[in-house]
Amino acid sequence: MSSVSALPFSKVRRIGNNVYLSGEIGFNPDGSIPEGIAAQTRNCLNRISATLELEGLSLANVASCTCYLTQKEDFAEFNRVYAEFFRDPLPVRTTVQTGLMIDALVEITVIAQD
């Protein structure tokens, strides 16, 4: 598996009060991808939360999410897990069905405000 640091993009960028996170996949700590949309979504949002914490932020600072699902049948379960992580005021969100560059079921990118 390629190292993320070898890819030509930043994991996080801070510009003014905005913090932009690159798309996150729900990897396990060992680099594997768990089975099922619930586990992948949970891992993905936990990884996003950890990255935000390094920037002195939390999921409460997220203003916008873009979510990519590979299977529309996963939408309801994805929403169930997603709702466990966000509280009012909820971020704006776009969710699309698409193929991913990695064999995963979900990828999420966020914009947060400081």
Side-chain angles (χ1 to χ4, degrees):
M1 182 168 90
S2 298
S3 165
V4 172
S5 63
L7 297 174
F9 61 85
S10 298
K11 181 175 177 71
V12 61
R13 286 283 312 268
R14 181 182 284 270
I15 301 172
N17 291 336
N18 293 328
V19 178
Y20 302 86
L21 273 62
S22 291
E24 188 67 74
I25 302 290
F27 293 110
N28 287 318
D30 67 3
S32 65
I33 298 174
E35 293 292 322
I37 190 68
Q40 287 187 34
T41 301
R42 192 166 283 106
N43 281 5
C44 187
L45 290 168
N46 281 328
R47 291 169 60 90
I48 288 169
S49 181
T51 300
L52 288 170
E53 286 179 20
L54 293 173
E55 294 294 317
L57 303 173
S58 72
L59 290 173
N61 295 98
V62 174
S64 177
C65 293
T66 304
C67 307
Y68 305 93
L69 303 178
T70 61
Q71 299 176 30
K72 67 181 179 179
E73 297 80 13
D74 288 337
F75 188 60
E77 184 68 7
F78 165 79
N79 274 329
R80 186 188 66 73
V81 175
Y82 179 94
E84 295 172 9
F85 285 82
F86 291 101
R87 303 289 177 256
D88 286 330
L90 296 170
V92 299
R93 188 179 93 182
T94 300
T95 305
V96 296
Q97 179 189 0
T98 189
L100 298 176
M101 300 305 295
I102 294 176
D103 190 22
L105 299 173
V106 61
E107 182 172 352
I108 301 173
T109 185
V110 304
I111 301 170
Q113 288 192 315
D114 193 0

